[in-house]
Amino acid sequence: MTTNDTTDGAVSGENLDKLSTNLRKVDELTKRLTQVLTHRSTHNAALDGPNQELFTKAATAYWTETLRDPAKVLEHQLQFWSRSVTHFVEAQKTLASGKLAAPANPGPKDRRFANALWDTHPYFNYVKQQYLINADAISQAIDDVTDMDSQEKQRLAFFSRQIVDMMSPTNFLATNPDALEKAVATEGQSLVQGLENLISDLEANNGELIVKLADESAFELGGNIATTPGKVIYRNRMMELIQYTPTTETVHRTPVVLFPPWINKFYILDLKQQNSLVKWIVDQGYTLFVVSWVNPDAAYAGVGMEDYIEDGYLAAIREAKAITGEKQVNAIGYCIAGTTLTLTLSLLKQRGDKSIKSATFFTALTDFSDQGEFAPFLTDDFIDGIEAECADKGILPSVIMARTFTFLRSNDLVYTPAIKSYMMGETPPAFDLLYWNGDGANLPAKMAMQYLRGLCQRNELADGGFDLMGHTLRISDVSVPVCAIACETDHIAPWKDSYRGVQQMGSKDKTFIMTQSGHIAGIVNPPSRNKYGHYTHEDLNLEYEDWAAEATFTEGSWWPRWGEWLKKRGGKQIPAREPGDSSHPVLCDAPGTYVAVKAKP
């Protein structure tokens, strides 16, 4: 980055004028930004982070550790001081040499610091290495804390990591070489566009900063995503029921009813033809029904889990049976819909209702005794904040959930896209998965608290039973044939916790498949991609570590294996069924109307 030769990228007089003009635009946009923030909507402060009690306990525990073992604490402090001073001296030597040569040891690799200047330029390399030294020191300090409850320590580690990630030099214009280079190359236009992007995101969410991850203008529901042909043949206050158009001359007699999670929208399973599980199931010769949940507003404040079961699960099963003339269906539940499918199966068992022939669970938790990475968000102070937010708004707004999920992967889903959008002025990519990720849904207040208090916090389904609809619902009541698919690197529904829940089910016929990758990519894994393999083992009495150690690995998608499992429970072949009947007229084309309703911040 030289400044004495315009042919080497220096700023000419003309370019300087353009830069000055753009910087004046930045000043004008700043006023607009102030206006947005002045009128921003508010939410309960408890949702922004842990209360001071956590940090007070951490400070007390650290002080106790210092008194108990001062040598250990001083050793770590001296290591930090030594590394910092040594780093400063080495940087001074490099500068004194008058050469902008790469340091002998540029430091560890980190994809945030991909620009060559982080290694070759003394200023940027100094900033990077000192940041990494500071991050290591904070991590070590937390590791040193022993006189603290394990859950509180896990929470302290999580929020400390959030602070460390937030303070990365890549997140600030003055210490981000990519952003600085682009600002010069575009005469400041990238900064103007970045500020426009920031203000647009704030305005779209009433002042809440939710980074837009995808170019929304690039997608149209029913146009280039969610395009599998089908018809909405039933609608009530909770859901639209889609029956998909057959692609085979004959189909299995027993229909399939798929329940997606209502935290997000169903079309994650129908993004495009190449990776659509919906299309794949239809192509295997099944009459497929998919529930598309309503996106609730404040009018749904009193809607609970019982309403999702009564007007969702039981209604969809009833209508699917009526249309097909069958007595049973094969049911699928994904994520929270799998948890609720377990509740439904227990309810039907206690009622003596055999409407469900088999159950498939995608990344579903039924035993919440190990809360995994969500533990920091399931303590009373945070849940109390959610309860107050629900009481105020009648819903748990989708932006709150989106923020929680994204900060589990803050570098990938918050800071990196924010840098590209706000500092580099780039348009978000036309990426269907990220578009879906940003198309969230609200949760009714009552349902959200039933789920968070009763299932997540108190683990009632696995520990004594979950009281609902006049019954005490238990995992052990599940007695139909079960196939569960969990994902190896799932941070939302860890596979070992899913496995533990399946172990407690009362079914004599149980299959467990662990696929590679995470909560979404592990499920949306078509055979044509041949990307992720899967693990199987028949003995589900093993502890999860032993199951994994002894499991057989198979290359490729789990879809065909599950397809063979489902085929055995699908019944004989009959002529294909067109959507609807005389009692179920077609209401509209798939993907329907409920899916198109955006969550209002």
Side-chain angles (χ1 to χ4, degrees), residues 94-110:
T94 302
L95 288 173
S97 70
K99 298 178 181 179
L100 296 183
N105 176 18
K109 295 295 182 182
D110 186 314

Side-chain angles (χ1 to χ4, degrees), residues 47-116:
L47 301 179
D48 291 330
N51 58 25
Q52 291 302 310
E53 182 181 358
L54 176 67
F55 296 110
T56 300
K57 287 181 178 178
T60 302
Y62 194 77
W63 178 245
T64 301
E65 189 71 25
T66 302
L67 295 175
R68 181 189 299 122
D69 191 357
K72 177 182 176 183
V73 175
L74 284 173
E75 179 185 357
H76 291 151
Q77 286 290 333
L78 289 171
Q79 285 178 356
F80 171 66
W81 295 344
S82 176
R83 291 179 67 189
S84 297
V85 172
T86 301
H87 181 218
F88 176 74
V89 170
E90 290 175 348
Q92 289 290 87
K93 287 180 179 179
T94 302
L95 288 173
S97 70
K99 298 178 181 179
L100 296 183
N105 176 18
K109 295 295 182 182
D110 186 314
R111 61 182 179 179
R112 288 175 294 178
F113 307 111
N115 190 305

Side-chain angles (χ1 to χ4, degrees), residues 246 248-256 281-289 324 326 328 330 357 563-577:
T248 55
E249 292 186 4
T250 62
V251 295
H252 292 277
R253 177 181 289 277
T254 305
V256 175
I281 293 173
V282 173
D283 288 345
Q284 305 312 301
Y286 291 96
T287 301
L288 176 64
F289 296 86
T324 61
E326 298 299 318
Q328 291 184 305
N330 290 312
K357 187 175 184 179
E564 288 300 314
W565 180 90
L566 187 63
K567 183 178 180 179
K568 295 175 182 178
R569 295 153 182 86
K572 68 178 183 178
Q573 293 286 315
I574 62 170
R577 309 172 175 110

Side-chain angles (χ1 to χ4, degrees), residues 504-552:
Q504 298 174 59
M505 292 179 178
S507 308
K508 295 180 180 179
D509 181 353
K510 293 188 284 190
T511 298
F512 188 84
I513 301 170
M514 181 176 72
T515 177
Q516 291 180 315
S517 196
H519 194 71
I520 300 300
I523 297 300
V524 184
N525 181 27
S528 58
R529 293 182 64 186
N530 197 30
K531 188 172 185 180
Y532 301 119
H534 58 279
Y535 299 85
T536 54
H537 195 307
E538 292 184 0
D539 189 354
L540 302 189
N541 293 314
L542 297 171
E543 293 298 317
Y544 75 88
E545 303 97 331
D546 297 328
W547 186 95
E550 298 178 17
T552 300

Side-chain angles (χ1 to χ4, degrees), residues 36 43 49 88-89 189 217 220 246 281 301 308 338 387 409 412-413 416 450 548 568 594:
V36 177
H43 58 256
F88 176 74
V89 170
Q189 181 59 39
S217 65
E220 179 189 359
I281 293 173
Y308 278 88
E387 190 162 24
R409 294 292 182 269
D412 293 333
L413 297 177
T416 295
Q450 285 174 315
K568 295 175 182 178
Y594 281 7

Side-chain angles (χ1 to χ4, degrees), residues 10 19 25 150 159 239 266 316 367 374-375 439 552:
L19 179 61
K25 291 180 181 177
S150 59
F159 286 108
M239 58 91 176
F266 82 88
D367 184 335
F374 272 99
D439 188 15
T552 300

Side-chain angles (χ1 to χ4, degrees), residues 396-417:
L396 177 56
S398 68
V399 293
I400 300 298
M401 291 181 288
R403 189 175 62 171
T404 301
F405 283 114
T406 55
F407 272 97
L408 291 174
R409 294 292 182 269
S410 57
N411 283 325
D412 293 333
L413 297 177
V414 180
Y415 299 120
T416 295

